[in-house]
Amino acid sequence: DQQVKQNSPSLSVQEGRISILNCDYTNSMFDYFLWYKKYPAEGPTFLISISSIKDKNEDGRFTVFLNKSAKHLSLHIVPSQPGDSAVYFCAAPNAGGTSYGKLTFGQGTILTVHP
Amino acid sequence: DSGVTQTPKHLITATGQRVTLRCSPRSGDLSVYWYQQSLDQGLQFLIQYYNGEERAKGNILERFSAQQFPDLHSELNLSSLELGDSALYFCASSVVGAGGYNEQFFGPGTRLTVL
């Protein structure tokens, strides 16, 4: 059961334009979401997070939007830079129970930013 | 550099063998998480330890076990290895194990190849 889904395996964007990465979830108990960026041969790096009490969180070029009714979140990168080329994962920690704190990851989206 | 260290970086072994992966969390982090990333499965949660005690279990095989020592470093033991165990194994750490969300910081991973 894929509780966090990233339906686009890849995204290609021109430098300077906006990159929009999407993520859907099915578990309505999720109330916090994180985005991680991963370069080859490295571990995932935390990028930005959002709590379900907000619908938007911004950090520099990165903005995450949350639509709870649609169970959908998106990561916007503006402007996109070639160094942003990486795999992006959305993730959600369990809201409670015995697996508190574990992260459920989406399958990832490969972002390529062309100069 | 996330502050989480993992050794070894690469490990090549044969089917039926046993290996131990080691993780040192960031200074001050009490929680350690283990994840497996295989080609077709994405990042899958295996197990979590908090201050020496097992806190949560995910899709961890019975052939796999882990422990967290008094100095908070953790080891993941994989035995009776099969070809399908070939994957990247990531360790992550966070400040807390329960009560509030904190992002998890990931190590660089150990690439295990079973021949």
Side-chain angles (χ1 to χ4, degrees):
Chain A
D1 176 26
Q2 190 77 20
Q3 296 189 63
V4 179
K5 301 177 188 179
Q6 293 175 258
N7 293 317
S8 298
S10 63
L11 175 67
S12 184
V13 170
Q14 204 68 30
E15 181 179 7
R17 306 294 290 268
I18 184 171
S19 295
I20 300 176
L21 299 125
N22 294 304
C23 179
D24 297 295
Y25 62 96
T26 57
N27 189 340
S28 57
M29 297 298 290
F30 287 150
D31 59 0
Y32 193 80
F33 302 90
L34 306 94
W35 283 93
Y36 281 83
K37 179 167 91 170
K38 186 182 181 303
Y39 293 117
E42 293 183 13
T45 301
F46 169 72
L47 202 53
I48 192 169
S49 62
I50 188 166
S51 164
S52 61
I53 61 173
K54 295 185 174 182
D55 54 17
K56 176 182 172 181
N57 189 26
E58 200 170 345
D59 184 1
R61 297 186 297 114
F62 303 91
T63 303
V64 57
F65 295 92
L66 175 62
N67 182 334
K68 283 180 291 183
S69 60
K71 294 193 180 71
H72 176 84
L73 59 153
S74 60
L75 174 68
H76 293 214
I77 307 174
V78 183
S80 301
Q81 299 173 353
D84 295 330
S85 298
V87 182
Y88 288 78
F89 293 95
C90 67
N94 267 39
T98 58
S99 294
Y100 194 99
K102 89 166 207 188
L103 288 175
T104 299
F105 283 87
Q107 293 294 92
T109 298
I110 301 170
L111 173 66
T112 304
V113 180
H114 299 283
Chain B
D1 184 356
S2 66
V4 178
T5 60
Q6 288 186 249
T7 56
K9 196 168 178 60
H10 301 278
L11 200 48
I12 301 175
T13 188
T15 55
Q17 294 299 305
R18 173 190 167 95
V19 297
T20 297
L21 312 184
R22 183 187 168 104
C23 167
S24 293
R26 293 187 322 154
S27 177
D29 284 359
L30 299 179
S31 263
V32 169
Y33 309 78
W34 286 97
Y35 292 86
Q36 179 192 56
Q37 185 183 26
S38 50
L39 277 174
D40 57 347
Q41 289 290 324
L43 275 154
Q44 300 286 323
F45 169 74
L46 294 177
I47 197 164
Q48 176 198 359
Y49 277 81
Y50 175 71
N51 203 19
E53 294 188 2
E54 182 183 303
R55 175 59 61 92
K57 257 185 174 178
N59 299 322
I60 187 167
L61 300 171
E62 285 192 12
R63 301 183 285 109
F64 295 2
S65 64
Q67 53 184 328
Q68 186 179 27
F69 295 86
D71 66 352
L72 300 177
H73 91 271
S74 177
E75 292 181 355
L76 179 67
N77 301 296
L78 316 176
S79 61
S80 303
L81 285 168
E82 302 175 359
L83 295 176
D85 298 328
S86 296
L88 270 167
Y89 291 85
F90 290 104
C91 167
S93 73
S94 67
V95 172
V96 295
Y101 296 114
N102 292 80
E103 60 265 24
Q104 294 177 21
F105 294 85
F106 283 77
T110 293
R111 180 174 291 282
L112 173 66
T113 302
V114 182
L115 301 175

